[in-house]
């Protein structure tokens, strides 16, 4: 299975910014979707941002504050988070779905990175 390694989480004050990165352990033959999800304590995991080709989609709660981007050559997806709010506090998970060089499909998740926003 393709391993995903996340980085960039941490603690920041409200109004601050963080940039999350998620790198695949190998070069991917074909990327179908790249996404970021989050799960706050006591809540269900929710989709934060999704990128398919050049199209992006965001949860209403993060629109105009978060930006998802990717570097295909590095099989890496990013999440730039600006104007952070305490309600953004959660564990953030990346997800990549596509085809490996062997043409076997995969759907992998990162280990999660904690984002804490203090008021």
């Amino acid at each position: 299975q393709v391993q995903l390694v996340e980085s960039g989480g941490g603690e920041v004050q409200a109004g601050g910014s963080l940039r999350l990165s998620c790198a695949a352990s190998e070069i991917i033959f074909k990327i179908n979707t790249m996404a970021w999800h989050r799960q706050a304590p006591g809540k269900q995991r929710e989709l934060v941002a999704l990128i398919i080709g050049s199209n992006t989609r965001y949860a209403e709660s993060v629109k105009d504050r978060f930006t998802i981007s990717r570097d295909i050559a590095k099989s890496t997806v990013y999440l730039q988070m600006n104007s952070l709010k305490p309600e953004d506090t959660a564990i953030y998970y990346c997800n990549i779905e596509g085809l490996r060089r062997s043409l076997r499909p995969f759907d992998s998740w990162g280990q999660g990175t904690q984002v804490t926003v203090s008021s």
Side-chain angles (χ1 to χ4, degrees), residues 32-94:
N32 292 329
T33 61
M34 300 177 114
W36 287 94
H37 299 249
R38 68 185 181 187
Q39 187 165 19
K43 294 188 176 181
Q44 287 191 328
R45 189 174 296 191
E46 63 171 346
L47 176 67
V48 175
L50 174 73
I51 183 167
I52 301 176
S54 59
N55 297 312
T56 57
R57 191 174 83 209
Y58 297 92
E60 197 63 37
S61 59
V62 307
K63 270 183 183 177
D64 302 323
R65 297 190 299 121
F66 290 11
T67 301
I68 188 171
S69 62
R70 64 183 189 173
D71 186 331
I72 294 292
K74 295 181 179 179
S75 297
T76 299
V77 60
Y78 305 96
L79 186 67
Q80 178 67 44
M81 305 184 292
N82 298 328
S83 303
L84 282 160
K85 304 175 181 181
E87 50 264 44
D88 294 318
T89 295
I91 299 175
Y92 284 70
Y93 299 90
C94 63

